[in-house]
Amino acid sequence: LIIRVGPDLEQMEKEIEKLLLYYADDQEIKKAGVEKIVSRSRESSVFHLLNAVGRRKAEESLSTFKNLMIQEKNPLGLLALLTRHFRHLILAKSFYEQGGSQRQIEESLQVRDFVAASYLEQIRNFTNKQLTKVYRLILETEYRIKSGELEPTKALELLIVGIVKVR
């Protein structure tokens, strides 16, 4: 529900009410039910993109990226968010490998608990070497965009594929 709705508590309340009305006779609302009933907000789509890339889900990442482009999101803004996300993953992995807890990651990176939990899940998908390669890919992509070598949308598509396929 958090991934679908994002940080908007008013929207969260509306979506919970909608779920309770739709599933009034059920004792439990499953993930599939939330996915069926709750629509995605624009903010959560960016969050969804970052999580899909961090989980190395190519099809989901590209689909979400294309939806963001349809919504006229700024590709350079998305590049900045990907940069921040992977910088945080590198730091979270370092903290975790040094025995740090989720709480310490939250405090050190100044992120919410569900974001830190997401980082802990995603760092399992990358070795330190792979995270270094990803960060280089991000820097190369930024250079190629700013030098005019690649159009931003195409550059981000290539970057996303590069990240999820990094070896």
Side-chain angles (χ1 to χ4, degrees):
L1 185 60
I2 290 170
I3 291 171
R4 290 256 174 184
V5 176
D8 185 343
L9 293 178
E10 194 172 312
Q11 185 64 30
M12 178 82 68
E13 183 179 8
K14 290 176 186 174
E15 296 298 340
I16 290 171
E17 185 176 343
K18 187 170 29 170
L19 284 166
L20 291 173
L21 288 171
Y22 191 85
Y23 292 104
D25 297 333
D26 296 353
Q27 287 188 2
E28 183 179 350
I29 301 171
K30 303 221 183 273
K31 180 181 176 186
V34 173
E35 290 172 347
K36 177 180 175 184
I37 302 300
V38 178
S39 58
R40 290 182 202 261
S41 72
R42 286 183 173 206
E43 293 82 10
S44 67
S45 292
V46 172
F47 186 69
H48 187 78
L49 172 66
L50 297 174
N51 281 324
V53 172
R55 289 189 333 266
R56 300 179 78 160
K57 304 285 185 184
E59 192 174 309
E60 186 179 344
S61 298
L62 288 171
S63 171
T64 303
F65 175 72
K66 288 177 184 177
N67 286 335
L68 289 168
M69 291 299 94
I70 290 168
Q71 295 172 13
E72 299 180 11
K73 292 289 186 182
N74 178 353
L76 294 177
L78 293 176
L79 178 60
L81 291 172
L82 275 168
T83 304
R84 178 182 184 270
H85 185 75
F86 277 91
R87 184 174 43 245
H88 277 187
L89 287 182
I90 290 167
L91 292 169
K93 190 164 186 81
S94 176
F95 291 140
Y96 181 73
E97 288 175 345
Q98 294 173 19
S101 67
Q102 178 179 324
R103 183 78 178 129
Q104 290 168 320
I105 291 170
E106 292 169 27
E107 291 171 3
S108 298
L109 300 179
Q110 298 180 355
V111 295
R112 304 282 308 267
D113 58 345
F114 66 91
V115 175
S118 174
Y119 289 166
L120 287 172
E121 175 190 327
Q122 292 174 41
I123 61 175
R124 293 183 189 110
N125 299 321
F126 297 92
T127 65
N128 287 322
K129 185 177 178 181
Q130 289 170 332
L131 284 171
T132 300
K133 285 182 181 181
V134 166
Y135 212 72
R136 282 193 190 120
L137 281 173
I138 290 169
L139 294 174
E140 288 170 14
T141 300
E142 183 176 6
Y143 175 79
R144 293 176 80 187
I145 291 170
K146 290 182 177 179
S147 69
E149 185 181 332
L150 276 177
E151 185 272 326
T153 302
K154 188 62 167 174
L156 255 66
E157 279 183 315
L158 293 171
L159 174 62
I160 289 167
V161 171
I163 291 171
V164 298
K165 299 293 182 186
V166 73
R167 298 271 177 235

